[in-house]
Amino acid sequence: RAKDTTFKAEFTTNFDPELPRVNVIPQDIGRVLLNLINNAFQACTERTGHFERSREAPLVQVSTKRTESGIQISVSDNGSGIPENIKDKIFQPFFTTKPTGQGTGLGLSLSYDIVKAHGGTLKVESESGKTVFVITLPING
């Protein structure tokens, strides 16, 4: 909104109230989540024309759930999706799809490294009109 005052999107959460505590550096995981959420909103802005022609509204969702071995945090959007030909590159250092000067966030490569340093994984599932980034973190004793 700071860059485009006309942008509107819905933001919803679905948090599992029974999540166990995990041993993380909150500031680092917070930066990762902020980066993923910012990317999701940006994906929605890229698809604005579609939303104007349909009844669908831009939507970003964050959810958490317990898994057998830890917790899962998902950040999803109904933006433009990630093209198949770049999915395997998005976690590489210095790779960006943003125009020069617009990629000022943490970046997916550093996000990936931070999650991995916490013993977790960061994966992406994407198709046209839907992208989900899934962070899994282990439960530490």
Side-chain angles (χ1 to χ4, degrees):
R1 276 225 170 123
K3 294 178 185 173
D4 180 0
T5 56
T6 63
F7 177 72
K8 292 181 180 142
E10 192 173 340
F11 181 74
T12 64
T13 58
N14 182 16
F15 298 140
D16 182 342
E18 301 295 319
L19 284 185
R21 294 181 73 75
V22 292
N23 189 20
V24 298
I25 300 171
Q27 297 87 343
D28 286 353
I29 297 300
R31 288 174 55 202
V32 169
L33 290 171
L34 183 61
N35 181 59
L36 294 176
I37 293 167
N38 280 335
N39 286 352
F41 279 123
Q42 188 163 25
C44 287
T45 63
E46 293 169 2
R47 200 169 175 224
T48 301
H50 165 81
F51 294 121
E52 290 170 356
R53 292 185 303 275
S54 74
R55 295 193 182 273
E56 184 180 31
L59 174 64
V60 174
Q61 296 177 296
V62 178
S63 62
T64 60
K65 72 176 184 179
R66 184 173 184 149
T67 64
E68 283 186 29
S69 60
I71 67 163
Q72 180 176 299
I73 306 167
S74 299
V75 177
S76 65
D77 67 72
N78 63 350
S80 52
I82 300 171
E84 199 63 42
N85 63 332
I86 67 165
K87 268 189 207 172
D88 61 341
K89 298 176 187 171
I90 63 169
F91 295 119
Q92 293 176 2
F94 309 111
F95 180 80
T96 185
T97 59
K98 296 179 179 135
T100 303
Q102 287 189 17
T104 58
L106 181 64
L108 290 173
S109 173
L110 282 175
S111 295
Y112 181 89
D113 290 346
I114 288 169
V115 172
K116 191 172 181 181
H118 283 82
T121 61
L122 174 59
K123 296 182 180 177
V124 65
E125 301 161 9
S126 185
E127 56 191 45
S128 181
K130 180 159 177 114
T131 299
V132 182
F133 281 89
V134 179
I135 299 170
T136 57
L137 294 168
I139 299 171
N140 296 3

